[in-house]
Amino acid sequence: GGKPGCPCTEDSACDSGACVWDRFGKQVCGKPCTDDSGCAKGEVCDDAKKVCVDPEIAACAPCTANSDCQVPGAADAACVDAGGAGAYCGVACKETADCPGGDVCKDVQDIAGGATKQCVPADDKPCGCSAWAIATGAKTACNNGPACVGERQCLADGATGAPKGGGLTACSAPAAVTETCDGQDNDCDGETDEVGSCDDGDTCTADACTGGKCVYTKSADGSACDDGSACTVGDQCTDGTCGGTVAPCDDGNPCTTDACDQAQGVCAFTPLADGSGCDDGNPCTAKGSCSQGACDAKALKNGTTCDDGNVCSVGDSCQDGQCAAKLLPAGTQCNDGDPCSLADTCGAAATGGGCGGKPVDCDDGNPCTTDGCDSKAGKCTHVTLADGAACVDGNPCTGAGTCKSGTCDAPQVANGSKCDDDNSCTTDEVCTDGSCSFKNVADGTGCDDGLPCVGKGSCFGGVCKALALVDGTPCDDGDACTQPGACKAAQCDAAPLVCDDGNPCTVDSCDTQGGKCVFTAAATGAKCDDGNACTGQGACDGGACKAP
């Protein structure tokens, strides 16, 4: 019963002493041989067992190692890497003529990363499952990403998980999905719960995944954010919610409806219906009606009392539809109504004689806040910078730092480093544990603290003692945009530098860096008065007043 070709399950059941697989997926007793000449076409004589075997029965079968493909007679066969789809058995070759069927001989990489020449399907066609592969349950590893690993196997029709008709199953690896905070590698990238797995869509919370759960921490009030609206500006966080001020859309025309286009983030101006009532804002015209998007209003009688809105003018009255007035002398004290300006004075006539002053100093000395003044609330504002923002704390014994919870975290410089405490009554300044240590110079040593209205003095106990200069002594406050001043109560009292080119169609200002006047052309169409009694109301064009 152990003749060649008879069914078997073990070698001892065969006369030849070898039970082998045939290409039909059956185990049969092998035919004895001494060399290939004694075997059927396509078979070879196995040197070890001395029986005829089919060296290509494993061709194209799924595999996990080279040894899976090295059946008797195919010692050089390799498990060819096919990427995420898995791997399949090749047949060793030197040229395509050595390959079975329509396969081609190619240089490929085996599952262990080695280079080899193997017969593989032409045009990278996918391998199927042979009867041998199904009978032996050949399998291979597969993946849907570095960490989404599964398995594919050749199964007979009807087996659990087998495709209809039998063959290679689909990859059992889970599909890669969006990473979530659950302790699992959902997107199969080899990392678990990475940044982005928790996102509540709120730019005023810091999102983190801790222990498989999302934790949302509110950002500090005043932190910059984006509320997603194209029609707001100055967005900042308040109690974990982002909001901003609605961007102003005003073309100055009372005969248009002004609004912000949310989709495009631009202002849109829609003309009102003809006949709609309007007020052009001119104190010397009566209320009018809209006509083709413009306000048609009649001028009031000359001499009618009016208010040009300028606190630096007197005797306001209508003249040919315009409010005319006499400007107060430049430098006259006034109040511009803005609590964020100090020492308000009237400006020069050529600049419109408006009332203005110096900005309130809102510096809180903290390099990790952005300081400003809220004119509506009449108070200073201090917006905390984001953690990680660069900062310098002003300490000569610390280096460049970064902001952390509104405080500048700066590293100490090495002990013994030279430092300067800006005190002329100390010497031998060196850094010690982040502070500038020093020695006091001898009492009586001459000193100068650099203040413009305090004279030279003498050191006593490490402090420069000096007398204030006499009131009226000329001084320089160091501001490039102020005129030479005079000392008053130990302070340098200096008036602003007057920048006036006499041109009503320029905006005059001072460059604080160079201390020079800058004259910028006013907007084309802006109303102007050239000062000529024989011309009417003009309009600016290219920095010049054109009047009829």
Side-chain angles (χ1 to χ4, degrees), residues 443-481:
D443 286 354
T445 303
C447 60
D448 184 357
D449 60 9
L451 297 176
C453 286
V454 178
K456 294 182 179 180
S458 298
C459 295
F460 290 96
V463 178
C464 187
K465 303 292 186 178
L467 297 176
L469 298 182
V470 177
D471 285 357
T473 302
C475 61
D476 182 358
D477 65 358
D479 187 341
C481 285

Side-chain angles (χ1 to χ4, degrees), residues 142-467:
C142 58
N143 65 74
N144 289 327
C148 286
V149 179
E151 183 179 85
R152 305 180 75 189
Q153 186 176 14
C154 288
L155 296 177
D157 185 24
T160 302
K164 186 176 181 179
L168 189 61
T169 63
C171 185
S172 64
V177 295
T178 302
E179 188 74 14
T180 57
C181 179
D182 59 1
Q184 304 296 319
D185 183 11
N186 311 105
D187 57 5
C188 302
D189 64 353
E191 297 182 18
T192 301
D193 296 343
E194 56 263 42
V195 174
S197 59
C198 290
D199 184 2
D200 60 0
D202 187 348
T203 56
C204 283
T205 59
D207 307 335
C209 178
T210 304
K213 293 184 178 180
C214 289
V215 178
Y216 305 106
T217 305
K218 292 181 181 180
S219 302
D221 284 358
S223 300
C225 60
D226 183 358
D227 65 2
S229 172
C231 291
T232 59
V233 295
D235 298 346
Q236 63 180 26
C237 298
T238 303
D239 194 25
T241 301
C242 184
T245 304
V246 177
C249 283
D250 185 1
D251 60 0
N253 184 353
C255 286
T256 59
T257 298
D258 308 333
C260 178
D261 183 333
Q262 180 69 47
Q264 300 184 28
V266 297
C267 289
F269 308 106
T270 306
L272 296 179
D274 287 355
S276 300
C278 60
D279 183 351
D280 62 6
N282 184 347
C284 287
T285 59
K287 292 185 177 180
S289 60
C290 296
S291 177
Q292 296 183 347
C295 188
D296 185 12
K298 293 183 179 181
L300 296 179
K301 183 179 179 181
N302 285 349
T304 302
T305 300
C306 59
D307 183 1
D308 63 0
N310 186 357
V311 297
C312 286
S313 68
V314 293
D316 303 353
S317 63
C318 294
Q319 185 67 37
D320 298 331
Q322 298 296 324
C323 192
K326 180 181 179 181
L327 295 176
L328 295 174
T332 301
Q333 289 186 346
C334 60
N335 185 353
D336 64 2
D338 185 356
C340 289
S341 68
L342 298 174
D344 301 338
T345 58
C346 294
T351 60
C355 182
K358 291 184 178 180
V360 171
D361 183 6
C362 286
D363 187 0
D364 61 0
N366 183 353
C368 287
T369 60
T370 299
D371 306 323
C373 184
D374 185 342
S375 293
K376 291 183 178 180
K379 63 180 182 180
C380 290
T381 58
H382 310 286
V383 179
T384 303
L385 297 181
D387 286 356
C391 61
V392 177
D393 63 5
N395 183 349
C397 289
T398 57
T402 55
C403 293
K404 185 178 181 180
S405 299
T407 302
C408 188
D409 185 10
Q412 297 179 6
V413 300
N415 285 345
S417 301
K418 293 291 183 181
C419 57
D420 185 0
D421 61 0
D422 292 325
N423 186 350
S424 58
C425 289
T426 58
T427 186
D428 296 334
E429 296 104 334
V430 294
C431 291
T432 304
D433 297 332
S435 298
C436 191
S437 60
F438 51 82
K439 295 179 181 178
N440 293 340
V441 300
D443 286 354
T445 303
C447 60
D448 184 357
D449 60 9
L451 297 176
C453 286
V454 178
K456 294 182 179 180
S458 298
C459 295
F460 290 96
V463 178
C464 187
K465 303 292 186 178
L467 297 176

